[in-house]
Amino acid sequence: MDMSTENEIQRLTVLLEEYNYQYYVLDNPSVPDSEYDRIFQQLQTLEKSHPEYLNPNSPTQKVGGLALTKFEQVKHQLPMLSLDNVFSEQALSDFIQRVTDRFDEQTAFCIEPKLDGLAASLIYEKGLLVQAATRGDGKIGEKVTENVKTIANVPLKLRGDNIPALLEVRGEVFMPKAGFNKLNEGLINAGEKPFVNPRNAAAGSLRQLDSKVAASRPLAFYCYGVGVFEGQLANTQFERIQQLKGWGLPISAEIKRLIGKENCQDFFDDMQLKRANLSYEIDGVVYKVDDISLQERLGFVARAPRWATAYKFPAEEAVTVVENVEFQVGRTGAITPVAKLKPVFVGGVTVSNATLHNKDEIQRLGILIGDQVVVRRAGDVIPQVARVLFDKRDPDSTREIVFPMVCPVCQSSVERIEGEATIRCSGGLYCQAQCKQAIKHFASRKALDIDGLGNKIVELLVDHNMIKHPSDLFSLTIDQLSSLPRMGEVSAKKLINSLQISKQTTLARFLYSLGIREVGEATANNLANYYKSIEAVKNAGIEDLKAVADVGEIVAKHVYYFFRQEHNVEVLTKLIDAGIHWPEIKAAEQEKQPLIGQTLVITGSFSSMSRSDIKNALQALGAKVAGSVSKNTDTVVAGEAAGSKLIKAQELGINIMDEAALLTMLEK
Ligand code: IVH
């Protein structure tokens, strides 16, 4: 009995170790989480009833143990160095040049993401994790073994062959973005202070005296090197990292071996693009001479190796001062507070504005004019004020942000809608700011699609008092237009011509172009199909509007009240008087639209019609034509040589129509 219990514990342990390896290292689990949990519980139960067989490195022992009163100090057998930094293409190129000058053009580099966490040293003896330490000052660190043992992807026992008798693994402890967000959410809900960023959260968690707390924190580890070891290791950095992976140690999936300046720079550019989509934070790219014997020949300067450098991304956060707050008026009148900043270089560009969104956000930040703030710009994201540096606040040079009582552009009264954080200008199209936005929207591609009427020209036209409303566009003259800066007679003529062309439109486009709140392209389409005339839409009541596909209470109210405002009706009338027209939608067309409410996908090639003609024909029958197959697809129209879309449709059991069936339907 005992013999078999011991065997069973052994069997379950090996199974869980294998599952962990597949999940954390290979990123390719072979069983669902539920199966893992089941085995885990079986092992836990057996270990509880037979503590004599409990192995300290069992996969169940990742929950933390007794709390410490302080961390022991550990002296690193080999110092833990830091890296030199470069911040430009030129500086990276210089680094590569220096190295290749000593060796040759073909010198290979192992290139790794620079993980944004904190360095740790893990010591494995005979394949078992016996000690983990922080970097500390590089010579002496703190022993955080109990905490590191709780990190889910750190193996307590190495797997595979030829494991060195002693192996010091070096790498980064970090907190993946998803775990960080969840942790902070929990802290905020509990009324506690959230962590400022994943690195601080990782550092705070790794240095918990109570390993049970550390165990509850979603930490992770990736290795990027080796310290002391006994036995044989590969002769290149890249191969060593692969060896570590083979022994069950997690590594980043992004690591590559490359030769040449251009490839090295390309990798950096790619990582910068990929950065936002990675599940963990990185702050640059590390370039290491791949050949270990070349590394040894290059050696070290001070505290950094000559054989490696870190090419850092431009900082995504910077400190600056809020010099003022201005209020911008958008197309629908929403008034947005915008912080005017002392210009600061952040995320690779100079930033002088950051949106403050609304009152709630201002309250959340606790921000005042004159405050020092951290501005954040990640990738293409618009600059945000991340937080206020309260301890730097000077009461004498700060003042409160006062919301305007009237629109800052047209002085109309400001509306506050209950339950909304936003305030709005009530001026509608009579407000110059709203007017500019409304005209830009009116001219945009999905609306009247007025070729040559870009944002700049709209601003000029409004600023020069040439137009106030979209309807004024149609009485512009060539003389007026060519009097504008940078507008010659040729472009003026062209614009007049495209204005003329744009008058021929569809009811759906026209409805969309009016810029009614919450009425996007699809809703405009539904309204047009349902009501068939602008008069009918205009006269519809709220309850009636709710009968239209995808129109709920809120949209219905926006549509209803839009047409109850006199100035909107006035503009509408003027537009129609200016000659905007569309083909009549006859009452009978409803019946001629058997595909209304259906989503179709076209794939493959067709002999009797072009793809775009088929699309038009299907849309005329009321169908929505989508680009990809999903469970919401009703029918896939498949021509010759249809590929993956057809396969997906078959898998999902979606109705498939061939060219012959399509033609029969269209004829009907
Ligand atoms: S190698 C001798 N590789 O960056 C080289 N470090 O600025 C020692 N780091 O303390 C470090 N990702 O915490 C190396 N792929 C990577 C890294 C990396 C992040 C951190 C590490 C180190 C710091 C040096």
Side-chain angles (χ1 to χ4, degrees):
M1 145 81 184
D2 267 347
M3 188 57 207
S4 70
T5 305
E6 197 179 354
N7 282 345
E8 184 61 1
I9 287 184
Q10 178 61 20
R11 185 183 75 85
L12 297 173
T13 302
V14 170
L15 202 54
L16 287 180
E17 281 169 356
E18 183 59 25
Y19 290 161
N20 277 336
Y21 175 66
Q22 292 168 351
Y23 186 91
Y24 290 112
V25 181
L26 301 183
D27 198 13
N28 185 19
S30 65
V31 292
D33 291 358
S34 58
E35 176 62 8
Y36 181 90
D37 294 343
R38 195 178 67 80
I39 305 286
F40 190 93
Q41 259 157 27
Q42 262 185 12
L43 178 59
Q44 222 171 17
T45 312
L46 275 183
E47 286 173 341
K48 264 202 190 119
S49 52
H50 296 272
E52 68 274 21
Y53 297 136
L54 174 64
N55 181 332
N57 288 313
S58 160
T60 60
Q61 299 307 294
K62 287 199 154 263
V63 288
L66 292 178
L68 304 174
T69 47
K70 70 184 214 355
F71 291 116
E72 258 178 68
Q73 295 207 320
V74 214
K75 185 171 185 305
H76 298 300
Q77 275 176 268
L78 287 174
M80 290 183 76
L81 300 166
S82 60
L83 290 166
D84 256 350
N85 293 320
V86 297
F87 293 94
S88 67
E89 180 161 4
Q90 185 57 50
L92 174 69
S93 157
D94 292 347
F95 165 76
I96 292 168
Q97 194 62 48
R98 266 201 308 280
V99 171
T100 48
D101 277 353
R102 277 209 47 183
F103 305 114
D104 71 282
E105 293 294 306
Q106 295 302 306
T107 310
F109 291 88
C110 182
I111 310 188
E112 310 165 8
K114 187 167 192 301
L115 308 158
D116 201 5
L118 56 154
S121 142
L122 276 54
I123 296 184
Y124 287 87
E125 283 175 8
K126 299 203 183 79
L128 298 182
L129 178 60
V130 294
Q131 179 185 291
T134 62
R135 175 173 179 273
D137 64 3
K139 293 193 185 79
I140 292 174
E142 286 176 324
K143 196 158 147 185
V144 288
T145 317
E146 293 316 307
N147 291 347
V148 168
K149 278 186 167 179
T150 70
I151 299 177
N153 72 346
V154 168
L156 302 179
K157 189 175 156 216
L158 300 181
R159 64 198 305 289
D161 302 326
N162 304 321
I163 297 169
L166 168 70
L167 179 67
E168 180 189 7
V169 177
R170 290 186 173 173
E172 197 87 344
V173 172
F174 59 95
M175 192 174 285
K177 293 173 190 170
F180 167 76
N181 290 335
K182 218 169 140 198
L183 172 65
N184 264 0
E185 231 170 74
L187 288 172
I188 292 168
N189 287 341
E192 286 172 52
K193 216 177 134 202
F195 286 103
V196 165
N197 57 42
R199 188 163 47 88
N200 286 10
S205 305
L206 188 62
R207 297 194 65 260
Q208 280 286 335
L209 287 166
D210 185 349
S211 55
K212 285 209 169 64
V213 176
S216 74
R217 300 285 174 78
L219 291 174
F221 175 79
Y222 276 156
C223 41
Y224 52 63
V226 173
V228 287
F229 65 96
E230 280 165 20
Q232 280 299 125
L233 288 179
N235 295 322
T236 67
Q237 165 73 7
F238 187 80
E239 282 156 350
R240 282 189 177 182
I241 296 284
Q242 304 308 320
Q243 269 182 317
L244 296 179
K245 179 177 177 180
W247 289 324
L249 289 154
I251 63 169
S252 160
E254 311 300 329
I255 301 174
K256 274 204 179 128
R257 176 159 51 189
L258 294 170
I259 294 170
K261 285 178 184 171
E262 210 166 305
N263 290 329
C264 286
Q265 178 64 38
D266 285 351
F267 185 95
F268 179 84
D269 296 341
D270 286 348
M271 284 315 281
Q272 211 167 2
L273 291 178
K274 249 186 160 175
R275 184 181 190 187
N277 295 324
L278 291 179
S279 61
Y280 48 90
E281 298 267 4
I282 63 172
D283 58 349
V285 172
V286 184
Y287 298 79
K288 300 176 181 173
V289 170
D290 193 40
D291 187 321
I292 304 285
S293 61
L294 298 188
Q295 285 185 3
E296 283 162 1
R297 282 168 62 188
L298 285 163
F300 305 88
V301 262
R303 298 172 63 199
R306 273 200 209 93
W307 46 263
T309 198
Y311 186 177
K312 299 277 277 284
F313 295 135
E316 288 187 329
E317 291 191 343
V319 174
T320 188
V321 178
V322 179
E323 293 183 325
N324 198 7
V325 170
E326 287 179 2
F327 293 87
Q328 266 174 16
V329 187
R331 173 169 67 81
T332 58
I335 299 180
T336 310
V338 177
K340 298 282 155 181
L341 307 167
K342 180 157 180 254
V344 62
F345 191 73
V346 56
V349 300
T350 300
V351 165
S352 47
N353 293 311
T355 174
L356 294 173
H357 301 287
N358 54 41
K359 254 198 162 134
D360 287 359
E361 174 72 356
I362 288 176
Q363 212 158 40
R364 188 186 71 78
L365 289 167
I367 190 173
L368 299 179
I369 296 169
D371 266 338
Q372 290 202 43
V373 293
V374 174
V375 177
R376 188 174 168 76
R377 183 185 174 275
D380 286 339
V381 182
I382 33 173
Q384 311 273 345
V385 173
R387 55 190 180 277
V388 174
L389 300 177
F390 290 108
D391 44 355
K392 297 252 168 84
R393 179 176 284 172
D394 170 5
D396 293 333
S397 55
T398 45
R399 62 193 157 91
E400 236 179 274
I401 299 166
V402 182
F403 273 67
M405 301 303 286
V406 295
C407 170
V409 177
C410 74
Q411 275 74 48
S412 298
S413 63
V414 162
E415 289 169 352
R416 278 159 219 275
I417 294 168
E418 247 198 50
E420 271 189 39
T422 319
I423 60 168
R424 281 175 201 285
C425 161
S426 64
L429 291 179
Y430 280 108
C431 171
Q432 241 192 26
Q434 288 190 60
C435 172
K436 280 183 187 171
Q437 299 303 329
I439 295 170
K440 288 177 194 171
H441 175 79
F442 181 80
S444 65
R445 204 173 44 80
K446 291 175 179 172
L448 260 68
D449 193 15
I450 306 174
D451 221 27
L453 189 65
N455 290 350
K456 283 266 152 59
I457 299 183
V458 173
E459 308 243 342
L460 281 174
L461 288 169
V462 176
D463 289 341
H464 283 72
N465 284 324
M466 289 184 183
I467 55 171
K468 278 205 168 69
H469 308 294
S471 55
D472 299 337
L473 285 168
F474 299 101
S475 35
L476 286 168
T477 63
I478 294 179
D479 280 352
Q480 271 180 312
L481 283 174
S482 42
S483 74
L484 291 174
R486 292 208 226 162
M487 177 75 105
E489 209 182 295
V490 177
S491 346
K493 274 187 184 155
K494 267 196 187 156
L495 182 49
I496 296 279
N497 189 40
S498 28
L499 278 162
Q500 206 54 35
I501 292 171
S502 74
K503 287 184 187 172
Q504 156 81 50
T505 183
T506 64
L507 177 57
R509 276 177 176 270
F510 182 64
L511 278 168
Y512 173 74
S513 77
L514 295 174
I516 306 169
R517 279 181 68 195
E518 305 282 340
V519 176
E521 220 188 340
T523 308
N525 238 319
N526 293 342
L527 287 168
N529 282 327
Y530 188 91
Y531 288 108
K532 302 183 179 56
S533 79
I534 190 74
E535 280 304 308
V537 184
K538 200 174 111 189
N539 295 330
I542 293 177
E543 284 312 306
D544 187 27
L545 283 160
K546 278 158 74 179
V548 179
D550 294 332
V551 174
E553 178 86 20
I554 295 177
V555 181
K557 281 187 171 165
H558 285 314
V559 176
Y560 179 80
Y561 288 113
F562 180 89
F563 290 107
R564 296 297 153 309
Q565 285 181 283
E566 216 176 296
H567 56 247
N568 288 338
V569 177
E570 211 174 289
V571 170
L572 183 84
T573 314
K574 281 191 188 158
L575 285 171
I576 292 172
D577 289 348
I580 293 194
H581 63 284
W582 50 86
E584 198 182 330
I585 306 174
K586 293 187 199 78
E589 280 185 20
Q590 179 75 359
E591 285 92 71
K592 280 206 236 139
Q593 295 204 311
L595 298 182
I596 223 148
Q598 292 203 30
T599 303
L600 279 80
V601 172
I602 308 168
T603 181
S605 55
F606 298 83
S607 53
S608 52
M609 282 171 94
S610 75
R611 289 260 294 253
S612 68
D613 285 345
I614 296 175
K615 185 173 172 185
N616 288 338
L618 292 173
Q619 280 172 338
L621 294 178
K624 201 176 137 197
V625 178
S628 62
V629 178
S630 76
K631 59 182 193 313
N632 299 325
T633 311
D634 294 290
T635 301
V636 170
V637 181
E640 279 301 306
S644 60
K645 287 180 193 173
L646 178 59
I647 294 170
K648 187 151 181 209
Q650 285 162 338
E651 279 169 7
L652 293 173
I654 288 167
N655 181 32
I656 294 161
M657 187 186 274
D658 63 10
E659 184 164 356
L662 173 74
L663 292 176
T664 317
M665 183 185 74
L666 292 180
E667 266 161 34
K668 266 200 217 148

